[in-house]
Structure formats: structure tokens, C-alpha cells
Amino acid sequence: MRPIALLASVGLFSLAASGLAACSTDTGEEAAKDEAQQIASNVHVLSSKNDTARTGHNAQERILNTANVRSSMFGRIFSRPIDGQAYAQPLYASNVNGKNLVFVATEHNSVYAFDADDTRAEAPPVWHKNFGPSLPAADTGCGLLGPEIGITSTPVIDLASKTMWFTTRNKENGRPVHKLHALDIATGEPRASSPTVITAKARGNGDESVGGVITFNPLKQMQRPGLLKVGNEIVIGFASQCDIAPYHGWLLGYDATTLQQNRVHITTPNGGEGGIWNGGVGINADENGDIYFTAADAYDRSTTGPWNGEGNEADSIVRLHDTGTGWEKVTSFMPFDHRTVGPQDLSLGNGGGILIPGTKLYVAGDKRGVNFLVNRDNMGGTADNDSQIVQKWQGSRAGAWGGGAYYRTGPNTGIYYQWGRGDGLRGYLFDGEKFNTTAMVNTTTGTGYPGVTLSLSSDGNNPGTAIVWGVRGKRTSAGLAATTGLAALEAYDALDVTKKLYSSDEVASDQLGQGTKFAPPTIANGKVFVGTSSNQLVVYGLRNGAGPVTPPPVTEDAGPGPGPGPGPVTDAGPAPSDAPTWDEIYSKILGPGTPGHCSGTGGCHTQLKGGFKCGTNKDDCYAGLVAARLINPASPATSTLINENESPLAWFGGGMPIDNPVPNDAAKEQLTAWVLAGAKKD
């Protein structure tokens, strides 16, 4: 079935609208930045895979689209040296003391903050902090991560408190130790309570128990899933290093302010193994604060009696509820053939899962490439042939380590992407209840272990903006390896994954270097940030002089498309004969001293949808409106500016630090008239 026919059954919807927010100020440093990329914004990527559903989707990308992500316009624009491998996903926070910052954590136990808009070749970090000696990989007996182990999991950031939490693995006084840290993202300085040493105890008679108590083993346990902040609690998951027993799956909860431990959950209290590693993907949390995770193998070869001991959760999807004093299990799912797949190292846990937005469903896959769609309110435990769950299908030829991505195309519809080992990129359409198991597939590019960890960007559901991104390792072997080897950043049209938009292999100067297992790229404000095993942060974006390009209109005759556009145009009526000129719009509405004026660099931004560079003169301001697709001179009636519930200029705040939220109807009327008259730059 052609992708366009599949997509027609899904339908797209437009995301909620926004209003003009605060404006940035100018400094002497701003002059050194790439003007084409300098767009102030409140776009943030603050945790693993962008959100607690772990969709991997930045729905506020207003610069990159399917028209300009081409090697002629887009490519490697700068890189930054770091002191170790970057396994954690880079994070991004805008307007931190007037700068857009990208944060990178390394296996050398360092955290860097770089100015994301400073493209100078030798630009130093805004700050760089090291958090003690790392653990030599040789101490663990595992060669799949080395030569040192420090910060491996993706941190989590809270903007309200400007705090980042992360874990380190240290060697102190000859012993391994795990620590939880909290720091100020503006300065890198530790919070008063930071750090705290991670320890834990749980009741049980399983591996390493003494007198009915199991004690956390800092040498055997590995902290791999991205951290989760839910309420005022930081949730941390642990698995093993190379499945070297004895170990357990641990989930620990810490007070975000005091860093005191509040919650402990162990997956195998009466057995062993069952690690929580999620292929590096963060632990999930739903709108009620309930927690979801996938637990991995138990190498239990018994054929009789309870699996791995009564009450254990190896090879399972689990939902926990916070009772106020601890976590209790709400529901769980375990595949019916767990006794077969567990001993073969083919169980769940290699890619985490996704809470499908707008539904009560959760999707996760195993190392065989089998996908499981479960009702998160009643996962059903275990039943013959998994007949109790919503859906089960072979999603990829082999497992997709590191997790997929999900594009929400409607209130409860979407597309689920995965790229497994030995396979190509696949997209499965979701109709609100089940997936269409006839996938869109790109068969032209295969990859070896561990497959490709994916990210997604779009400008809401605006046509021509949805892109699937991944870092594809060039090695083709299916066997385990310490790294992906040489890798390439690749981009595909999210609505037709058979269309490759870009590969960093196309231009010699765009080469990425050594990839990192399970580490997705981060997309924000026209740039793509990739951590590598070459001790570099590599940054891609529009090349010098290549401004944003408006995506072409999509029709069925042109091939696969996203369906309906952003929604109906407001009933503004015909353009009046006395519509204002651009000179009047700028002088009365957007220019200096007017309600919509941007101070300093003119980097105004909308509350939810990226922004435009208003500029300090009429020409730059007009170019910014076009680049942000707030106006479309080729088709004025489709301009975002006048779409119902889409207009970022429905009101004009002014000023810093607090915006004025009172609508300016007169200004909106004038803008609407100008747009409907052709949005001419007269």
C-alpha cells in the first residue's frame, strides 16, 4: 500500500496557538553568531527523548523542513571538543541568562554548557565542570563501554529552578561508587545538597540476599536509562554491566531538592537479573505521575515452578503508582514465551517504550523486533500467545535498540518509527486503536547492531516540516560492539520514509566521525546536536547564507503528503481597499516604539512555536516573518498569522521582563488586512 493511501486514514491536526513572548537583548558577543540561526525561542529539550512519554519529538521546529534539509543548504556548521565519549543525549535550554545553551555530559564525568548560537571555530564553553574520577571500564569486566565509565545516562533539567540532575560513576578510595548530582544550569555550580551517594536495600530472598535483605551492588549495577523528574522526585533506573551477575533491576526515587532517597523498587526480589536499562531511553511517566518501564532478561532456564521466583518482573512491562510512602505495582505484562526468549537474551528492555499521546496505550519492543501494544490500565499479566494485549506484531527484522519515535498527527492518531538491527527505517500508522502493520519502509539503507535511535522534528503538523532523524552506524555486523563505529547523521521525510532528505556522508566536510550507541540526536531551533564517541559535540544546521526555505505545497499528485493543512482561515472577510502598506505595518505595529516591537537584536519568539527574527530594520523584520512562515506572500490566505487558533500575533505584548497579555484587536485587524491584500513588501 502506498504511504499516501495509508496517511489518508490518519489525518493531521494543528497544534495549539501562541502569543508573542519576551524579546531578547543584544550584547557584543551576538555579532559573532550566525545571523541566519540567531532566532530567540522558548524551545527546550530537557530530558531523554524530549518528554516523559519518550516520543522523541520536538514539535516546535520552525526552521528546518523537508525543503531546506538538503546537502546544498544544510550540513555540519561547527563542532566542540569534549573530554570523553558522549553517550547521554545532548539537552537544550533557551534564554539562560540571555543565551541558548546546549548541554553535553561525558564518560569522563564532565558536563559542558555551550552557547548553541556561537558558531566560531574556537568558541569556549560557557562553563565546564568535572565531577571526579571515572570508573575504569576494566574494573567491571565488561568491554562494551570503555575505556572509562562516568556519566552515561541522559540528565534531566527543570527550567523553573534552573537545575540539572545527573548521575556519575566514580572510583574513590579504590572502590566504585554511584552519585546523584544537582547543578545550576546557568553556572554549573552544584546545588547545596549535591552530590549524594546512591545506595539501596530491598526485602527479598533473591541473588546476594542476606537475612532476607538485598543490598545494592555498586560494581555490578549500571545506571543507563535517562533520568525522570516527576513532581519533586528524581527517578533513576539501574541494570547491569554486560549482564555480569549477580545484579537486579532497581528503580530509586530521590527528593529533587534534598536528594534524600524516598522510594525503592526492585524487579527481582526473589530471583536475579531483570535489569532496567531501556536502551538508554528515560523511564516514562503519565499525566498522573505513574511510572512505566521495561525490565530485561532473566536467564532462568527452569521449566517448572514460578518464573525466576514469585513476584518477579524480568522480561516485563511494568506500571507503578506512588502511594505517598512508596511505589506499588498497578499492572504489568510478561510475554507468554518468556521462558524461551529470556535465556536466549531476546527479551524486552532494549529500547524502552512510548506512552502514545491521547490514548491509554503503551508500545514497546523486544530484541527479536516484536512490538507489544498494551492497555496501560490493564496490561494483562501473562496469557497464552499474548492474546490479552491490544496488539502484537513483528516490527523490525531484529531489535531496535535505543528506542523509536512517535509523531502525533491527530488527537489520538500518529506514526510510530523504528529502525532495527539489519533493517531499514519503518513507519507504522496508528489509527487511535491499533497500528497498521503494513509499514512504510526505507529499504535502501541497512545497519548493523544496535540499529538506529531516532528523533523527530516538525512545526506542529504544518505541511512539509516533519523529519525523522537518526545517527546510523556504518558497521553492518549484527554482533555486539563497544561503539557503532563510523556513523552518519541522516534525515528522512516523516510522512514518506522512503525519501531520504540528507546524509552527512554526501559532503566530505559534513562527516560525523564515531557514533555512540543508543544516543539520539537533539533538534532545536534550526540545529541538530550529535554527541559522538570521537570526543566531540558535532552541530549541523543551515549553511552560511542559506536561510529557511518554505516547504512546497503538498498535493496527492506530488506523492505522499501530510493530509490537511493547519486548519481553516478566520472569517476575516475580503481585504479592504485601504489595506495598510508594509511601511505602515512596520512603523505602527512592528517597528521601534510600537506594540509588537522587539528590542535589541529583535529576536522575538512565540510562546509555543519557535519564532521569527523581527530584526532592527524593515527588511530584516519582513524576512523574519517570511522565514518563520507567519506570512506566505505566495498564498496570503494560508499565512499562519491569520489562521484561527494559530496566530502568534493575535495580541501584542511589549516589553521585558513581563509581557502584556492584553489583545490588541486594532493591530490584528490591520495585520490581517495587509496579509489578505497580499502581504506585500511595498
Side-chain angles (χ1 to χ4, degrees):
M1 187 179 297
R2 291 190 62 196
I4 185 63
L6 289 173
L7 288 166
S9 66
V10 178
L12 300 178
F13 80 120
S14 293
L15 298 182
S18 56
L20 278 179
C23 307
S24 61
T25 57
D26 197 9
T27 68
E29 294 178 333
E30 302 291 334
K33 298 179 181 179
D34 180 359
E35 288 293 327
Q37 300 295 316
Q38 188 185 337
I39 296 181
S41 169
N42 67 343
V43 174
H44 313 287
V45 179
L46 305 176
S47 67
S48 167
K49 304 289 275 190
N50 294 62
D51 50 48
T52 59
R54 309 308 181 190
T55 63
H57 185 197
N58 171 15
Q60 302 171 52
E61 177 50 56
R62 298 184 65 85
I63 300 173
L64 302 178
N65 57 57
T66 58
N68 62 26
V69 176
R70 310 288 191 192
S71 58
S72 60
M73 292 180 279
F74 174 90
R76 179 169 171 160
I77 54 176
F78 66 93
S79 63
R80 295 288 176 258
I82 52 179
D83 63 10
Q85 298 175 329
Y87 273 71
Q89 178 181 350
L91 300 180
Y92 184 98
S94 65
N95 197 23
V96 179
N97 289 350
K99 297 180 184 292
N100 297 329
L101 298 183
V102 58
F103 304 92
V104 188
T106 77
E107 294 295 342
H108 196 62
N109 276 336
S110 288
V111 180
Y112 292 80
F114 294 105
D115 185 334
D117 301 315
D118 191 341
T119 61
R120 293 175 299 166
E122 304 299 326
V126 175
W127 54 259
H128 161 221
K129 303 289 182 180
N130 184 264
F131 296 91
S134 59
L135 180 71
D139 287 10
T140 69
C142 174
L144 292 182
L145 173 58
E148 59 181 339
I149 306 172
I151 304 171
T152 307
S153 69
T154 301
V156 64
I157 293 173
D158 175 66
L159 277 183
S161 63
K162 290 187 170 58
T163 301
M164 173 191 290
W165 293 265
F166 59 97
T167 65
T168 60
R169 204 165 184 190
N170 302 86
K171 186 171 184 178
E172 297 180 349
N173 300 317
R175 294 179 175 273
V177 61
H178 296 264
K179 294 182 179 180
L180 172 62
H181 300 256
L183 60 76
D184 183 332
I185 62 172
T187 65
E189 293 301 318
R191 295 301 187 192
S193 55
S194 180
T196 188
V197 174
I198 295 173
T199 61
K201 293 182 181 293
R203 294 190 179 278
N205 297 308
D207 291 352
E208 288 197 299
S209 63
V210 177
V213 175
I214 301 172
T215 301
F216 179 88
N217 185 327
L219 177 61
K220 300 294 186 181
Q221 302 293 159
M222 176 69 179
Q223 204 283 289
R224 191 63 187 92
L227 272 61
L228 166 69
K229 184 177 187 291
V230 55
N232 197 47
E233 189 152 74
I234 304 299
V235 181
I236 310 171
F238 284 87
S240 69
Q241 194 79 29
C242 277
D243 289 339
I244 300 173
Y247 68 89
H248 299 269
W250 293 87
L251 198 70
L252 307 179
Y254 287 82
D255 184 286
T257 305
T258 66
L259 301 192
Q260 295 299 303
Q261 189 180 94
N262 292 329
R263 311 279 184 270
V264 175
H265 181 82
I266 188 170
T267 61
T268 50
N270 301 309
E273 300 144 355
I276 303 172
W277 76 287
N278 275 16
V281 176
I283 307 299
N284 306 82
D286 66 19
E287 65 278 3
N288 299 313
D290 282 8
I291 293 168
Y292 301 75
F293 62 86
T294 57
D297 306 287
Y299 300 97
D300 190 332
R301 299 182 185 276
S302 64
T303 57
T304 62
W307 170 250
N308 194 241
E310 188 66 36
N312 290 332
E313 299 162 356
D315 195 12
S316 297
I317 300 172
V318 181
R319 175 182 178 177
L320 301 179
H321 175 70
D322 188 346
T323 65
T325 58
W327 285 313
E328 66 177 8
K329 185 161 64 175
V330 177
T331 183
S332 66
F333 161 73
M334 181 183 288
F336 82 101
D337 52 356
H338 51 259
R339 291 185 187 273
T340 301
V341 300
Q344 297 178 40
D345 190 19
L346 293 173
S347 73
L348 286 157
N350 55 299
I354 294 175
L355 291 167
I356 299 178
T359 76
K360 291 288 188 178
L361 302 174
Y362 180 89
V363 63
D366 66 12
K367 292 181 181 178
R368 298 173 293 180
V370 176
N371 290 334
F372 303 92
L373 181 66
V374 300
N375 183 328
R376 72 191 204 198
D377 290 337
N378 182 11
M379 297 182 189
T382 301
D384 288 346
N385 295 310
D386 302 324
S387 58
Q388 82 283 26
I389 66 174
V390 178
Q391 192 176 19
K392 171 184 174 182
W393 80 101
Q394 187 72 37
S396 58
R397 293 177 182 175
W401 275 252
Y406 184 84
Y407 181 30
R408 186 179 186 181
T409 60
N412 60 354
T413 59
I415 310 173
Y416 175 48
Y417 306 92
Q418 59 183 152
W419 194 343
R421 184 185 69 188
D423 205 352
L425 171 62
R426 293 174 177 261
Y428 290 97
L429 297 180
F430 179 68
D431 66 7
E433 296 182 356
K434 291 186 177 182
F435 286 94
N436 184 327
T437 58
T438 301
M440 298 183 287
V441 188
N442 188 302
T443 59
T444 62
T445 305
T447 188
Y449 170 84
V452 180
T453 304
L454 301 175
S455 296
L456 176 70
S457 67
S458 73
D459 179 10
N461 294 114
N462 285 334
T465 67
I467 300 174
V468 178
W469 303 83
V471 177
R472 179 184 61 83
K474 299 180 187 179
R475 64 186 298 272
T476 58
S477 169
L480 301 181
T483 74
T484 63
L486 292 174
L489 173 69
E490 295 187 346
Y492 295 79
D493 187 328
L495 298 179
D496 181 1
V497 299
T498 66
K499 295 181 179 179
K500 181 189 288 188
L501 304 174
Y502 171 81
S503 172
S504 59
D505 278 353
E506 295 170 7
V507 177
S509 58
D510 285 359
Q511 298 288 310
L512 175 64
Q514 297 283 329
T516 305
K517 293 185 298 185
F518 324 130
T522 293
I523 303 93
N525 285 337
K527 296 187 179 70
V528 181
F529 303 91
V530 185
T532 72
S533 290
S534 305
N535 293 18
Q536 283 189 320
L537 171 71
V538 182
V539 185
Y540 293 81
L542 297 179
R543 302 183 191 279
N544 288 338
V549 175
T550 301
V554 181
T555 66
E556 188 159 339
D557 290 341
V569 174
T570 55
D571 184 16
S577 59
D578 59 345
T581 64
W582 168 241
D583 182 78
E584 291 172 314
I585 291 294
Y586 185 79
S587 63
K588 296 179 180 179
I589 297 175
L590 295 177
T594 64
H597 173 58
C598 306
S599 62
T601 61
C604 276
H605 58 279
T606 64
Q607 218 167 32
L608 295 176
K609 303 195 67 174
F612 70 100
K613 186 167 184 287
C614 178
T616 55
N617 58 64
K618 282 197 301 181
D619 288 344
D620 287 347
C621 190
Y622 185 90
L625 289 167
V626 173
R629 297 189 302 285
L630 296 175
I631 59 170
N632 180 3
S635 178
T638 65
S639 297
T640 304
L641 184 65
I642 57 173
N643 284 349
E644 186 68 39
N645 294 326
E646 285 286 315
S647 173
L649 301 183
W651 58 268
F652 291 89
M656 299 171 62
I658 299 174
D659 294 315
N660 173 14
V662 178
N664 188 328
D665 292 334
K668 181 182 179 183
E669 182 179 345
Q670 291 293 295
L671 277 163
T672 301
W674 171 67
V675 169
L676 292 179
K680 298 176 182 178
K681 184 185 175 186
D682 43 34

